[in-house]
Amino acid sequence: MDKVKKNLRFGKMFRSFLSLFLKSNCPLCQRPADLELCDFCQRQLQKCQLPNCKELWQGDLPVFAWGVYGGILKRAIAALKYENHPQLARPLGQYLGKAWLKAQLSFPEKFSHPPTVVPIPLHATKLKKRGFNQAELLAESFCEVTRLKLTAKGLERIKETEALFGLSPQERIENLQNAFRVGKGLRRQSQVILLDDIYTTGNTVKEAAKALQQQGIATCGVVAIATPLHSKLG
């Protein structure tokens, strides 16, 4: 028995010693990190949370956004999307999911069925280049927390749109026209929550909601990890 205990203690010490060398660095600051992010960056990200995440939860297409798109949150989203750090979707999706549960949002009576979460898709060309859809990864983490159903391929992006940055409002609308179609797993009378990484003008989600509506599928609202402050104005 003493020999067994001694072996267990040795095994625990060896794993602890090994973990010192196996720790990954935080992708945002390069400090050692036990999880996807170091403690410092996690604390800094938490400061980005909006005081009222449901401020935009109103109108025909209500929006629930977790944080302000700027500072370290903007940096984290950029690292996720453009620097090949898909693991960052896990904590960001968890932040969003926990805030969603805490908000205890209500839906109009016309939405009688529990909604399914549908991430905004990437075009196949961009998906192949990036290797993953950040909205889908965020949705997976969000649904793990909220226990909402995820329909990962509920929408398809059939039009290779230009980057919206730098386009005029009218160009953005024209760029996104007929960009989506209903994919697998959604039936008529389904009710959907759209999930995207960033909510800005709303043109993308409006076009996605239109494609769903044409197939008899209602959109209850939109959730996003970040929104610029100016989004509150429109």
Side-chain angles (χ1 to χ4, degrees), residues 2 11 16 94 161 169 174 176 214 217:
D2 289 341
S16 298
Q94 288 179 343
T161 53
E174 293 172 358
L176 287 161
Q214 289 170 350
I217 300 167

Side-chain angles (χ1 to χ4, degrees), residues 28 37 41-57 63-77 88-103 105 138 142 145 195-199 222-229 231-232:
L28 303 185
L37 294 161
C41 286
Q42 289 186 65
R43 290 194 298 270
Q44 296 306 304
L45 276 168
Q46 291 290 349
K47 294 177 182 178
C48 296
Q49 184 173 355
L50 288 162
N52 182 10
C53 297
K54 58 183 181 180
E55 184 174 345
L56 299 174
W57 193 258
V63 177
F64 183 88
W66 180 81
V68 178
Y69 184 60
I72 192 171
L73 181 54
K74 182 177 180 179
R75 171 79 183 92
I77 294 172
L88 293 178
R90 183 175 176 271
L92 294 177
Q94 288 179 343
Y95 297 159
L96 184 60
K98 290 174 182 177
W100 173 271
L101 292 177
K102 187 176 180 180
L105 297 170
L138 288 165
F142 175 79
V145 173
L195 187 147
D196 207 357
D197 53 348
I198 308 166
Y199 176 85
V222 178
V223 292
I225 190 65
T227 185
L229 286 173
S231 292
K232 296 182 181 181

Side-chain angles (χ1 to χ4, degrees), residues 187-205:
R187 300 172 297 175
R188 292 183 69 87
Q189 307 305 316
S190 294
Q191 295 171 0
V192 161
I193 294 173
L194 293 171
L195 187 147
D196 207 357
D197 53 348
I198 308 166
Y199 176 85
T200 51
T201 62
N203 290 328
T204 301
V205 292

Side-chain angles (χ1 to χ4, degrees), residues 31-217:
R31 292 181 178 90
D34 291 318
L35 300 172
E36 297 87 358
L37 294 161
C38 70
D39 291 342
F40 174 81
C41 286
Q42 289 186 65
R43 290 194 298 270
Q44 296 306 304
L45 276 168
Q46 291 290 349
K47 294 177 182 178
C48 296
Q49 184 173 355
L50 288 162
N52 182 10
C53 297
K54 58 183 181 180
E55 184 174 345
L56 299 174
W57 193 258
Q58 54 189 296
D60 294 332
L61 193 60
V63 177
F64 183 88
W66 180 81
V68 178
Y69 184 60
I72 192 171
L73 181 54
K74 182 177 180 179
R75 171 79 183 92
I77 294 172
L80 163 64
K81 294 167 66 173
Y82 307 122
E83 298 173 22
N84 195 30
H85 289 293
Q87 73 274 19
L88 293 178
R90 183 175 176 271
L92 294 177
Q94 288 179 343
Y95 297 159
L96 184 60
K98 290 174 182 177
W100 173 271
L101 292 177
K102 187 176 180 180
Q104 297 183 329
L105 297 170
S106 60
F107 297 98
E109 291 183 4
K110 64 179 180 179
F111 298 119
S112 55
H113 306 297
T116 182
V117 177
V118 175
I120 295 294
L122 294 178
H123 187 268
T125 303
K126 185 174 286 187
L127 181 61
K128 184 177 180 180
K129 183 178 179 181
R130 185 171 295 170
F132 59 89
N133 175 12
Q134 73 281 352
E136 183 176 337
L137 297 182
L138 288 165
E140 288 175 1
S141 182
F142 175 79
C143 289
E144 284 177 5
V145 173
T146 61
R147 301 300 180 188
L148 290 170
K149 180 184 176 183
L150 171 64
T151 305
K153 308 301 180 185
L155 278 172
E156 296 176 0
R157 191 183 290 249
I158 56 175
K159 180 180 177 182
E160 190 173 3
T161 53
E162 300 176 47
L164 299 183
F165 179 77
L167 298 181
S168 69
Q170 185 58 35
E171 287 172 334
R172 289 184 178 215
I173 293 171
E174 293 172 358
N175 183 43
L176 287 161
Q177 280 181 348
N178 302 316
F180 302 102
R181 71 181 174 196
V182 175
K184 299 176 181 177
L186 288 180
R187 300 172 297 175
R188 292 183 69 87
Q189 307 305 316
S190 294
Q191 295 171 0
V192 161
I193 294 173
L194 293 171
L195 187 147
D196 207 357
D197 53 348
I198 308 166
Y199 176 85
T200 51
T201 62
N203 290 328
T204 301
V205 292
K206 287 174 185 175
E207 192 64 29
K210 186 173 78 172
L212 292 166
Q213 186 180 30
Q214 289 170 350
Q215 297 299 318
I217 300 167

Side-chain angles (χ1 to χ4, degrees), residues 14-33:
F14 179 75
R15 287 193 298 272
S16 298
F17 176 77
L18 198 62
S19 69
L20 294 174
F21 298 94
L22 295 180
K23 279 186 179 181
S24 59
N25 288 337
C26 174
L28 303 185
C29 70
Q30 300 309 308
R31 292 181 178 90

